Amino acid sequence: MLNTFTQHLNLSDSQVETLLSLSLQDLLNSPAIQQKLDSLNISLLQQTLPIAKAVLEDKLPPFYDWLKNELKVERVPDGPDHTTQWVVNFLKRQESLRHLVDLHRPVPRPALERSIPRLVGLFETVEDAQVRQEWQTALAALCLVLAVDARDRDRQLVA
């Protein structure tokens, strides 16, 4: 997971570790994550939504099966429609990071962290390097938020 964040968010291992140690609120207020989100090429992402939709429709069902069967995640969407629609709405600024976090809170941290490289890797087959990179960066940024929240919740349970 760390390698996924360093590779796709262009951060050092120590920067990733520092971000992962933050609370969700501190991360969301962090200039580093705001800079990453602000640097996304939203125009390109919106223009290439048909590509992303095709990738998600093709790759998410086997990914969801893997989550259910291998990682034993109980609440997994039945199909890619919900995820695809959430991404579309997020790019249109109609979805929030808070809602994304709420949707993923039932996923245990080990399963969530193990799934991040595989999820970001769904876009490896996209031929256009710029499009592939932009989608992987966007997914990695969103997954970083989820990982921070999962770790923050675990810390709160221990405290």
Side-chain angles (χ1 to χ4, degrees):
M1 175 188 74
L2 294 177
N3 187 42
T4 298
F5 293 143
T6 59
Q7 178 183 356
H8 296 291
L9 297 177
N10 197 26
L11 297 169
S12 69
D13 286 347
S14 62
Q15 288 173 308
V16 172
E17 289 289 354
T18 298
L19 292 173
L20 288 170
S21 71
L22 297 175
S23 70
L24 177 62
Q25 190 59 47
D26 287 344
L27 178 76
L28 294 177
N29 292 333
S30 161
I33 196 65
Q34 287 306 316
Q35 180 185 13
K36 290 295 172 191
L37 292 171
D38 290 344
S39 72
L40 291 173
N41 186 339
I42 299 297
S43 177
L44 177 65
L45 292 170
Q46 288 176 332
Q47 291 170 13
T48 59
L49 272 171
I51 293 170
K53 183 177 180 182
V55 168
L56 294 174
E57 286 174 348
D58 181 49
K59 306 281 185 181
L60 279 178
F63 176 75
Y64 289 156
D65 285 343
W66 176 74
L67 288 175
K68 282 183 197 176
N69 299 320
E70 298 281 329
L71 301 186
K72 307 298 183 206
V73 175
E74 293 178 16
R75 288 185 54 201
V76 176
D78 293 332
D81 293 342
H82 175 77
T83 302
T84 305
Q85 191 57 49
W86 190 94
V87 169
V88 169
N89 288 339
F90 181 75
L91 292 175
K92 292 180 178 179
R93 308 254 190 241
Q94 297 171 349
E95 274 293 354
S96 70
L97 291 173
R98 290 262 180 214
H99 187 227
L100 177 70
V101 166
D102 290 342
L103 290 171
H104 290 82
R105 282 218 162 132
V107 179
R109 183 180 64 84
L112 184 118
E113 289 186 359
R114 192 166 160 210
S115 68
I116 289 170
R118 194 168 183 154
L119 179 64
V120 173
L122 295 180
F123 283 82
E124 282 296 323
T125 59
V126 173
E127 290 182 25
D128 184 307
Q130 183 182 9
V131 172
R132 179 178 58 250
Q133 180 181 356
E134 200 64 32
W135 277 102
Q136 288 179 315
T137 300
L139 283 176
L142 295 173
C143 288
L144 178 63
V145 172
L146 296 176
V148 166
D149 179 66
R151 286 183 176 209
D152 189 27
R153 283 184 290 124
D154 279 2
R155 283 190 298 272
Q156 290 173 12
L157 290 174
V158 172

